[in-house]
Amino acid sequence: MKWVTLICVLLCTIATESRHLQKRDTDHHPRNIGSMYVTLGQDNFKHILLVMTSQNFQKCTLEQHWKLVQELSAVTEHCVDNEDEADCKKPMNTVFYDKVCTASDENKSYPWKADCCAKQDPEREKCFHDHRDTNIEPFKKPDAGAACKLQTENPHEAYHYYIDTIAKRHPSLYPPAVLGLGKQYSIIMHDCCAEEEKEKCFDARFVDIQKTTLYLEYHQKHTCHILKSFPPERVYYAKKLVKYGKKFPASSFDVVHKLTLESVHVSKDCCKDDVVECMTEKMEYIQHVCDNHEKISPNLKACCEKSLLERTPCMITLPNDDIPADLPKEMKEFVEAEDVCKHYAEEKDLYLAKFLFEFARRHPELSDLSCMRVAKGYEALLTKCCAEEHPADCYKAAPQLFEARIKEIQALAKQNCDAYEHHGPHAYNAELLGRYVPKMPQVSDETLLKITGKMTKFAGKCCALPENQRLSCADDKLDMLLGDMCERESQTFINDQVHHCCVDSYADRRPCFTKLGRDPSYKAPEFDVSHYKGGADVCEGTEEEQKQKRLGMLIRVLKDKPDTPPEKRMQIIGKFNEIREKCCAEENHQACFDSERPAFLLYLKNLLSH
């Protein structure tokens, strides 16, 4: 059994200690609308309803949404005092969609609504969720004058506007996260509207919050991708165990293990698209963490003193705790003890989980996936050594194996950062295209530009960090990027080798893609001059847009000739730039390009034919 298969509940003897989790698993109890109102409080409850309404009906106005919220609130307030009535005993989601289905304001804009309302829960809720438009452009920076006027005259209405707008544009985002982002927008407005240079303040502050919004949405999707692609939840357990081991290195394995099990349980439920259940599970989980914060980390106390909906963002942004001064650097019990193979044979998965935790808490500078890869190498070593006559003589080499793995990982990060810093972002992007187009030539030009463009941005951000933070930054960002690509690959097949990397091993996914060579199944087309239609349009747009057009031509070259060596690629780009600079300086751009085109195509054909 592979280490990543871990155990379903990692041995009953420890799992039963997490009674809070076990109770939730076996005694599922949907939350009724009255109890949710009491738990959240009136304002938070109404705001959550506004998010749910806006996410389901993205074409309606804020006024229409708020009218429905007020009607639902009236029902809720009645149920707080009459909890024994049949309708009040229903789960909150059922009451919500019952009311939505009797409202008529949305019928004209949503012809599919009648079909959804004819279904029974949970199919009814899924139907509404499936009709959400996920391709709406993100929330853009508002006009400073109008925004500041609204913020000054009616800050509550401004907050509702932010909630409504974010929810419409991010219909899958966890509702309390939308409220948190809405509060951040309110703070930015309050601060920037007091500044003399309002627009400048907005420009600086809105970029960060937009990045946060997209990151939260991306992270949520990635979690569900891992749980769906590597079922049932064992791989995700390993990833969370590493994360908590690094974040709370002074805590014990038993405490972190139980924390991890419960976190996985919550994530699994949230990926079922039951918004209310997800929200309640998360609140219960955070409360459970706060009830036990002294066993986990003293730094959690400050977060636990905040309001219910403010605790999660506080905990997410907490830095890793310091490694205990008395924690030995060496992991002797895993590499020197005589009974290593006995433990490995008797409790393999639990033993490997303990190893993973102990390694992670000692190496916060490594990425989660790097720690998982080291553990995978340790498992392979024990499998080999424990079959030999003198196992201890064999597995004592483990420290050298760990060190070699770490150096290999760090060397790759250094190699990429050196290339980025030496060549600059545009040439680095071109180099990435040279690596990735031959691996997956079936992918569209637009997608290849998008993928390598993001990789280039990751390099720019991560390589600017201190050396001990670069690896974790790059690996974690690439993990989500490749996860998104593999999620798309599951719907639209690319090629056999890409599919293999996507489904074979989560921990080794990034190294798998790195090691891929040219796709052996790809048959390049005959050289066709019609593929190269560059003209006056390369002189138009911003400098960045012009660079994207030049990279687009490079993709075309690589698809026609996947084995084009780097020096020839640079020659082609250089030649094209000569013509571009010459023709963009001429009064008649297109006439110049038409004149230069035959000689360039002949040059290109001769270069690619040798």
Side-chain angles (χ1 to χ4, degrees):
M1 186 187 298
K2 298 287 185 184
W3 78 273
V4 289
T5 62
L6 292 170
I7 25 188
C8 288
V9 281
L10 280 178
L11 295 183
C12 184
T13 53
I14 289 185
T16 51
E17 293 176 19
S18 185
R19 293 191 180 94
H20 185 71
L21 172 64
Q22 287 286 330
K23 182 177 186 300
R24 288 221 312 257
D25 269 339
T26 56
D27 301 330
H28 179 78
H29 52 289
R31 281 74 186 176
N32 63 53
I33 200 162
S35 67
M36 288 296 296
Y37 181 91
V38 172
T39 300
L40 290 166
Q42 184 184 59
D43 287 346
N44 282 334
F45 183 82
K46 285 187 174 182
H47 294 152
I48 291 290
L49 286 179
L50 178 58
V51 174
M52 293 171 65
T53 305
S54 303
Q55 288 181 328
N56 278 291
F57 301 111
Q58 296 157 279
K59 297 176 186 176
C60 291
T61 63
L62 172 58
E63 289 73 22
Q64 289 173 306
H65 289 156
W66 194 248
K67 178 185 174 185
L68 186 56
V69 167
Q70 297 289 54
E71 291 174 3
L72 278 159
S73 295
V75 172
T76 305
E77 289 170 11
H78 172 80
C79 284
V80 171
D81 298 323
N82 300 274
E83 58 184 22
D84 291 331
E85 290 186 8
D87 283 348
C88 294
K89 290 181 178 179
K90 293 178 181 178
M92 179 177 167
N93 267 8
T94 301
V95 177
F96 177 82
Y97 284 107
D98 283 350
K99 185 63 183 174
V100 161
C101 286
T102 58
S104 59
D105 289 357
E106 305 87 8
N107 292 350
K108 291 182 180 179
S109 300
Y110 307 94
W112 46 264
K113 180 184 162 187
D115 290 336
C116 289
C117 290
K119 301 178 186 293
Q120 297 296 313
D121 287 329
E123 287 76 16
R124 179 174 63 170
E125 181 183 0
K126 184 179 185 303
C127 181
F128 274 92
H129 192 275
D130 289 345
H131 280 94
R132 293 177 182 180
D133 185 356
T134 57
N135 294 316
I136 298 178
E137 63 178 359
F139 181 27
K140 292 184 177 180
K141 179 173 70 68
D143 173 73
C148 287
K149 186 173 185 294
L150 178 62
Q151 180 71 27
T152 304
E153 294 177 355
N154 196 332
H156 291 296
E157 186 179 338
Y159 180 50
H160 295 162
Y161 168 75
Y162 303 137
I163 293 173
D164 182 63
T165 306
I166 298 164
K168 285 176 179 176
R169 284 161 172 72
H170 303 279
S172 298
L173 201 57
Y174 170 54
V178 176
L179 299 194
L181 290 165
K183 285 185 178 180
Q184 287 187 51
Y185 275 110
S186 294
I187 292 169
I188 290 173
M189 284 298 177
H190 178 271
D191 293 347
C192 290
C193 290
E195 294 284 334
E196 187 174 337
E197 296 184 4
K198 295 178 177 59
E199 288 288 353
K200 188 176 180 181
C201 178
F202 285 160
D203 288 342
R205 300 279 293 274
F206 267 82
V207 169
D208 289 337
I209 195 171
Q210 285 173 329
K211 286 180 180 177
T212 301
T213 305
L214 294 174
Y215 174 80
L216 288 172
E217 192 170 47
Y218 213 32
H219 188 271
Q220 189 173 304
K221 284 173 59 181
H222 188 57
T223 294
C224 296
H225 164 72
I226 297 171
L227 285 165
K228 183 182 79 172
S229 303
F230 302 94
E233 64 261 2
R234 296 151 185 162
V235 171
Y236 189 64
Y237 166 87
K239 182 175 173 63
K240 293 297 288 186
L241 181 69
V242 170
K243 190 169 289 295
Y244 287 142
K246 289 160 60 179
K247 201 171 189 70
F248 309 121
S251 191
S252 69
F253 171 74
D254 285 0
V255 168
V256 171
H257 160 68
K258 287 184 280 188
L259 188 70
T260 304
L261 277 177
E262 192 166 1
S263 175
V264 172
H265 169 82
V266 172
S267 295
K268 192 176 172 185
D269 275 1
C270 286
C271 291
K272 294 176 182 175
D273 295 329
D274 185 334
V275 171
V276 176
E277 185 67 13
C278 169
M279 183 170 58
T280 313
E281 290 277 348
K282 285 200 173 189
M283 289 190 297
E284 287 184 356
Y285 168 67
I286 293 300
Q287 185 60 53
H288 183 59
V289 169
C290 287
D291 289 343
N292 296 275
H293 76 271
E294 292 180 355
K295 297 178 184 177
I296 302 168
S297 167
N299 293 330
L300 289 169
K301 186 174 185 294
C303 294
C304 292
E305 290 173 347
K306 294 181 178 293
S307 68
L308 194 61
L309 295 181
E310 290 178 307
R311 291 175 181 178
T312 298
C314 177
M315 290 179 184
I316 289 172
T317 55
L318 276 180
N320 292 343
D321 292 347
D322 293 333
I323 300 174
D326 60 350
L327 183 67
K329 186 177 180 181
E330 301 81 10
M331 296 168 56
K332 292 185 178 180
E333 64 176 301
F334 295 99
V335 298
E336 293 184 9
E338 291 293 331
D339 57 357
V340 165
C341 289
K342 179 176 180 294
H343 288 301
Y344 183 61
E346 293 177 355
E347 48 181 26
K348 179 177 179 179
D349 298 308
L350 180 62
Y351 182 75
L352 290 170
K354 286 179 177 177
F355 169 84
L356 185 58
F357 167 75
E358 293 293 345
F359 185 84
R361 70 200 289 230
R362 287 168 169 82
H363 293 282
E365 79 283 2
L366 296 181
S367 68
D368 300 345
L369 289 169
S370 297
C371 293
M372 292 167 73
R373 288 176 208 129
V374 169
K376 196 173 180 184
Y378 178 64
E379 181 199 12
L381 181 70
L382 290 191
T383 301
K384 171 181 174 290
C385 294
C386 292
E388 295 185 2
E389 187 176 353
H390 301 290
D393 292 340
C394 175
Y395 59 67
K396 69 180 181 183
Q400 288 75 35
L401 178 137
F402 303 156
E403 188 176 348
R405 283 292 177 97
I406 292 171
K407 284 183 177 179
E408 179 187 348
I409 293 164
Q410 291 173 335
L412 181 62
K414 185 178 186 305
Q415 178 185 335
N416 281 311
C417 283
D418 286 349
Y420 179 85
E421 290 163 2
H422 178 72
H423 296 297
H426 183 60
Y428 184 76
N429 197 344
E431 174 57 29
L432 287 175
L433 286 170
R435 297 182 208 170
Y436 277 85
V437 175
K439 296 175 183 182
M440 49 185 82
Q442 299 87 353
V443 175
S444 70
D445 296 9
E446 181 184 3
T447 301
L448 286 164
L449 283 171
K450 187 176 179 180
I451 291 171
T452 57
K454 284 185 176 181
M455 288 180 175
T456 303
K457 288 180 180 177
F458 295 163
K461 181 173 182 177
C462 297
C463 295
L465 296 173
E467 198 163 333
N468 64 345
Q469 297 177 30
R470 290 179 175 185
L471 175 62
S472 187
C473 171
D475 226 4
D476 290 345
K477 289 182 180 298
L478 283 172
D479 176 37
M480 286 201 283
L481 178 63
L482 293 176
D484 184 54
M485 192 185 79
C486 286
E487 184 66 25
R488 295 171 187 270
E489 192 277 339
S490 68
Q491 305 297 321
T492 306
F493 180 76
I494 297 174
N495 60 47
D496 287 334
Q497 60 178 16
V498 168
H499 180 73
H500 166 76
C501 286
C502 284
V503 303
D504 184 51
S505 166
Y506 170 68
D508 285 333
R509 180 183 281 175
R510 200 275 304 147
C512 182
F513 274 100
T514 298
K515 293 173 184 175
L516 281 184
R518 175 184 169 186
D519 175 23
S521 68
Y522 179 69
K523 305 298 181 189
E526 292 292 328
F527 182 83
D528 186 346
V529 295
S530 66
H531 291 164
Y532 303 90
K533 299 178 180 178
D537 64 314
V538 300
C539 304
E540 299 167 0
T542 64
E543 176 61 24
E544 184 57 34
E545 288 170 338
Q546 291 180 32
K547 285 179 180 178
Q548 291 296 299
K549 291 170 185 175
R550 300 200 292 272
L551 290 174
M553 189 202 69
L554 176 60
I555 291 175
R556 186 65 264 164
V557 169
L558 289 165
K559 286 188 174 184
D560 280 353
K561 194 78 171 178
D563 55 355
T564 305
E567 60 273 13
K568 285 191 177 182
R569 296 201 298 265
M570 296 311 296
Q571 285 178 262
I572 292 168
I573 291 176
K575 187 68 173 177
F576 179 76
N577 277 339
E578 285 179 22
I579 297 171
R580 180 187 63 83
E581 289 173 6
K582 176 184 176 182
C583 291
C584 290
E586 296 283 339
E587 185 175 346
N588 190 329
H589 302 327
Q590 191 57 54
C592 177
F593 276 108
D594 289 343
S595 173
E596 295 287 340
R597 177 179 161 83
F600 175 68
L601 290 177
L602 181 61
Y603 169 84
L604 192 63
K605 186 174 183 179
N606 290 335
L607 194 67
L608 295 179
S609 64
H610 294 92

